């Protein structure tokens, strides 16, 4: 009974320019570690092969070092790997794949599916029907030839392709590259392993997207997994088991704060996240000075605890209460400045006034604490 690991969209060489250098480096390294984990899973689950459904590399221009590291990371599994070219690493006349071959970086057990056809893995019991992309965008269904491709009797027919199943995915997938939703049935496939959708997704019982093994976007689409696929034999239905592979969890929250309990609930949710989180917050609404102090303290803790914490507070207004103002003990001219900043922020929606008010409040608190010591 053939068993294989289905993965895709490694996007090796991807950069993370929006992050701090230390965080970006860690996110890049996690992608190499994901390949090593895939090799370990293939051994652990006694897989007969690993099928990679496109976009191994993020671009044709990745460094030679990245190319070598990718193939080095596969060495933990000595069985066959089949790597398909996708839209990011299309099999052009001169491509990342031709460089990999010139570098002699491709191990003997790695099969590069750069031309349409069948790769027969007899020991694995698989016939892999391949539809590689030879250019970034196509407007015809490259899996259509699967209908007429013949495979040896007794081998399980597995399609390997990269693109969007027509009518079943959102419009923001990476490229056009259409795939007919009925392809597995019409082409008599036992399984169709797809890439391009970066999350795990079942199209039908024989057609799946594995998703990327390491998340790299703020989308709630079950990214960070690989699929272990068991097929009892030709014509039998596959048994598909998602396996968690991702190291980091990406969370993007858009929150509106209006009352004190809103902030309390936000900080409670933040506290509950694991340390392997990548967090993007955008806050709007209003917060008191006391609430602002709690928020800034929590964000400071989060920045040290999580892999990355980014927070946009430009739409979050400071609305000091009378108790806030009284606690600051801002008498005379200072009190007038506090009130002026408070009014300017409300009237002009001023980020400068907001920040100035927060800084002044902090200075007044520090002064008060020093006086009490």
């Amino acid at each position: 009974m053939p068993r294989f690991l289905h993965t895709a969209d490694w996007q090796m060489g991807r950069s993370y320019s929006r992050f701090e250098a230390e965080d970006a480096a860690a996110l890049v390294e996690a992608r190499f570690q994901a390949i090593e984990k895939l090799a370990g899973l293939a051994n652990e689950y006694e897989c007969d092969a690993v099928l990679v459904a496109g976009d191994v590399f993020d671009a044709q221009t990745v460094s030679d070092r990245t190319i070598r590291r990718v193939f080095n990371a596969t060495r933990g599994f000595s069985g066959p790997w089949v790597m398909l070219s996708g839209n990011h690493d299309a099999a052009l006349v001169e491509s990342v794949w031709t460089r990999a071959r010139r570098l002699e970086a491709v191990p003997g057990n790695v099969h590069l599916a750069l031309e349409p056809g069948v790769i027969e893995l007899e020991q694995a019991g698989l016939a892999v029907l391949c539809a590689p992309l030879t250019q970034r965008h196509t407007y015809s269904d490259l899996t259509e030839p699967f209908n007429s491709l013949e495979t040896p009797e007794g081998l399980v027919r597995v399609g390997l392709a990269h693109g969007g199943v027509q009518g079943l995915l959102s419009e923001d997938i990476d490229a056009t590259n259409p795939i007919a939703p009925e392809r597995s049935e019409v082409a008599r496939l036992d399984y169709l392993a797809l890439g391009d959708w970066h999350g795990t997704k079942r199209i039908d019982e024989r057609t799946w997207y594995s998703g990327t093994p390491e998340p790299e976007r703020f989308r709630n689409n079950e990214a960070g997994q690989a699929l272990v696929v068991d097929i009892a034999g030709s014509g039998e239905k596959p048994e598909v088991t998602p396996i968690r592979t991702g190291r980091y969890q990406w969370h993007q929250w858009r929150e509106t704060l209006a009352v004190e309990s809103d902030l309390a609930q936000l900080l409670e949710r933040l506290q509950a996240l694991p340390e392997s989180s990548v967090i993007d917050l955008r806050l709007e609404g209003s917060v008191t000075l006391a609430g602002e102090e709690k928020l800034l303290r929590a964000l400071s803790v989060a920045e040290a605890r999580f892999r990355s914490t980014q927070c946009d507070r430009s739409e979050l207004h400071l609305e000091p209460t009378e108790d806030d103002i009284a606690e600051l003990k801002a008498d005379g001219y200072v009190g007038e400045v506090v009130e002026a900043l408070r009014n300017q922020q409300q009237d002009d929606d001023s980020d400068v006034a907001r920040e100035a008010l927060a800084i002044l409040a902090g200075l007044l608190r520090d002064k008060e604490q020093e006086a009490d010591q």
Side-chain angles (χ1 to χ4, degrees):
M1 177 176 71
R3 170 182 289 175
F4 57 89
L5 192 68
H6 169 197
T7 179
D9 300 294
W10 293 358
Q11 311 291 147
M12 303 308 298
R14 185 182 183 90
S15 62
Y16 295 89
S17 56
R18 64 170 292 184
F19 295 92
E20 297 291 337
E22 179 183 348
D23 296 327
L27 294 172
V28 168
E29 192 62 27
R31 306 199 75 76
F32 288 103
Q33 293 169 351
I35 302 175
E36 295 171 352
K37 185 164 188 176
L38 291 170
L41 288 173
N43 288 320
E44 178 183 348
Y45 286 89
E46 299 181 342
C47 293
D48 298 298
V50 178
L51 307 185
V52 190
D55 281 0
V56 171
F57 298 97
D58 190 57
Q60 304 284 5
T61 55
V62 300
S63 67
D64 289 354
R65 180 174 184 268
T66 294
I67 293 173
R68 292 185 186 279
R69 287 196 67 190
V70 165
F71 290 107
N72 287 344
T74 68
R75 295 185 186 276
F77 176 64
S78 60
W81 298 69
V82 180
M83 294 186 180
L84 186 83
S85 57
N87 57 302
H88 281 257
D89 53 11
L92 309 174
V93 174
E94 177 62 28
S95 70
V96 63
W97 304 105
T98 57
R99 277 201 291 137
R101 282 175 166 164
R102 280 200 301 272
L103 292 170
E104 298 182 346
V106 185
N109 62 321
V110 176
H111 303 263
L112 301 185
L114 308 180
E115 298 178 356
V118 180
I119 294 177
E120 297 178 12
L121 304 176
E122 293 185 11
Q123 291 186 341
L126 299 172
V128 184
L129 291 72
C130 304
L133 289 175
T134 56
Q135 57 190 39
R136 186 175 178 90
H137 299 288
T138 62
Y139 298 93
S140 60
D141 186 347
L142 299 182
T143 67
E144 187 173 358
F146 289 177
N147 298 354
S148 56
L149 284 177
E150 297 297 329
T151 55
E153 186 175 352
L155 295 185
V156 168
R157 285 170 63 91
V158 176
L160 190 63
H162 190 88
V165 176
Q166 293 175 296
L168 296 179
L169 298 178
S170 64
E171 297 179 356
D172 58 353
I173 57 175
D174 283 346
T176 48
N177 309 321
I179 297 173
E182 69 279 4
R183 182 61 61 213
S184 61
E185 179 181 358
V186 176
R188 309 177 315 281
L189 300 176
D190 297 300
Y191 184 82
L192 178 53
L194 297 178
D196 199 26
W197 182 255
H198 285 210
T200 301
K201 190 174 183 65
R202 178 186 186 273
I203 301 300
D204 59 45
E205 63 183 4
R206 297 186 185 276
T207 306
W208 286 72
Y209 285 93
S210 66
T212 179
E214 181 63 36
E216 88 293 8
R217 299 174 180 176
F218 291 107
R219 291 182 182 175
N220 185 21
N221 62 353
E222 298 298 324
Q225 299 190 117
L227 303 176
V228 173
V229 183
D230 288 283
I231 305 178
S234 181
E236 299 293 329
K237 294 181 180 179
E239 180 180 335
V240 181
T241 306
I243 305 295
R244 177 61 56 183
T245 56
R247 177 174 181 181
Y248 294 114
Q249 299 179 19
W250 291 52
H251 302 276
Q252 187 175 60
W253 296 349
R254 302 293 180 254
E255 304 290 333
T256 300
L257 305 182
V259 295
E260 188 175 347
S261 60
D262 293 337
L263 177 60
Q265 291 174 7
L266 171 64
L267 299 186
E268 184 177 343
R269 289 174 58 202
L270 196 63
Q271 179 67 27
L273 291 177
E275 293 182 2
S276 58
S277 294
V278 177
I279 303 165
D280 177 59
L281 294 175
R282 183 178 299 168
L283 304 180
E284 59 183 31
S286 63
V287 66
T288 66
L289 284 178
E292 171 87 346
E293 186 176 11
K294 290 180 183 177
L295 176 61
L296 293 179
R297 186 164 56 246
L299 290 175
S300 178
V301 172
E303 288 170 356
R305 180 184 173 207
F306 301 125
R307 176 66 273 166
S308 173
T309 304
Q310 297 180 333
C311 182
D312 180 356
R313 297 183 294 119
S314 60
E315 298 300 319
L316 183 65
H317 304 293
L318 276 179
E319 294 189 358
T321 64
E322 296 303 326
D323 289 340
D324 286 332
I325 300 300
E327 187 176 338
L328 292 176
K329 298 179 180 179
D331 299 326
Y333 176 72
V334 176
E336 293 175 3
V337 172
V338 169
E339 189 63 27
L341 290 172
R342 183 183 182 186
N343 293 333
Q344 183 179 346
Q345 181 197 219
Q346 292 173 341
D347 295 341
D348 302 336
D349 195 23
S350 171
D351 292 340
V352 175
R354 178 193 184 284
E355 292 301 322
L357 185 57
I359 291 170
L360 181 56
L363 292 173
L364 290 172
R365 287 197 190 94
D366 291 344
K367 183 178 179 181
E368 181 67 21
Q369 289 174 358
E370 290 174 3
D372 292 340
Q373 291 177 354

